[in-house]
Amino acid sequence: MDELKQRILKDGVARKEGGVVLVSSFLNHQLDPELMMHCAQEFARLFEGQGVNKIVTIEASGIAPAILLGYIMHLPVVFVKKKIPKTVDDSWKSWVWSFTRNDETTVCIDRRFLTDKDRILFVDDFLADGHASGSIIDLCRQSGAQIAGMGFLVEKGFTKGGQFLRDHGIRYHALATVRQINDDNTMMVE
């Protein structure tokens, strides 16, 4: 998606050391609602006709595009929580490694909102090593839900997440792919 690619090149900041791509000014800390709507529209186009009945994301940066996608597709949006709240009595649980926070966290989803009747579309901000995606695969395995596909705003093409999803037979789309971060911290974005 050219609009997102150009925005990454214009406002994104890369750090070769650690493979960091910062998009805080329009995606992770401050949001550009118009850009998020355009991204959601593109996901709706890409996953049209896949029999999706629920949009799933994980806290926190995937929530904005997921809600907009749910609005466009007229579907409920469920987000996987990164801590088990007192208000959830019965949940599916997994764990996820956070690249951003450099730690492992237990995640959960209320069993009422992920069942064997669901065919989900998972939406998230980044695909890096596939840890968040792996937790979604695990939660769907536990619940019997099917994964119709996964959509990411940005894929770090120099990491192993895409291969992880292909190895698991998951259909996915990334709206922009950072192929590499150069020594001078510039990015190659496709």
Side-chain angles (χ1 to χ4, degrees):
M1 187 177 136
D2 287 339
E3 181 182 5
L4 179 58
K5 294 171 191 172
Q6 293 306 314
R7 190 67 180 271
I8 292 167
L9 289 169
K10 177 180 175 264
D11 295 329
V13 176
R15 295 186 188 141
K16 184 166 179 87
E17 186 177 332
V20 175
V21 177
L22 299 170
V23 290
S24 301
S25 67
F26 59 92
L27 174 59
N28 293 122
H29 198 68
Q30 173 174 273
L31 290 171
D32 179 335
E34 192 170 322
L35 176 61
M36 291 302 102
M37 179 59 84
H38 295 163
C39 291
Q41 289 167 334
E42 182 65 4
F43 282 139
R45 184 188 71 75
L46 290 167
F47 291 101
E48 183 177 18
Q50 298 300 308
V52 174
N53 71 333
K54 197 168 283 181
I55 308 297
V56 175
T57 191
I58 192 165
E59 291 179 326
S61 295
I63 292 174
I67 287 172
L68 294 170
L69 180 58
Y71 177 79
I72 291 166
M73 295 180 78
H74 306 284
L75 294 173
V77 177
V78 179
F79 56 94
V80 174
K81 296 191 173 267
K82 288 189 178 173
K83 293 191 179 188
I84 302 170
K86 293 178 184 177
T87 57
V88 176
D89 294 326
D90 195 17
S91 64
W92 307 111
K93 296 171 190 68
S94 190
W95 63 271
V96 65
W97 178 262
S98 171
F99 173 84
T100 307
R101 290 190 327 269
N102 196 33
D103 69 356
E104 184 177 280
T105 301
T106 300
V107 294
C108 75
I109 189 167
D110 191 309
R111 288 181 186 228
R112 296 173 299 164
F113 305 132
L114 188 66
T115 73
D116 60 0
K117 294 175 180 51
D118 291 321
R119 186 164 166 82
I120 67 127
L121 172 55
F122 174 65
V123 175
D124 205 3
D125 60 342
F126 273 90
L127 172 60
D129 288 330
H131 295 294
S133 304
S135 70
I136 299 303
I137 292 168
D138 183 41
L139 293 168
C140 287
R141 179 194 54 75
Q142 291 176 54
S143 69
Q146 295 179 7
I147 300 172
M150 293 189 174
F152 304 91
L153 283 96
V154 182
E155 178 181 359
K156 292 181 180 179
F158 53 87
T159 62
K160 60 186 177 181
Q163 188 60 52
F164 172 79
L165 293 179
R166 288 187 292 278
D167 290 348
H168 281 81
I170 304 292
R171 176 177 181 241
Y172 82 95
H173 290 283
L175 301 184
T177 301
V178 177
R179 285 285 166 213
Q180 69 183 42
I181 300 174
N182 302 313
D183 290 337
D184 64 354
N185 290 325
T186 59
M187 294 176 273
M188 180 191 298
V189 180
E190 298 176 346

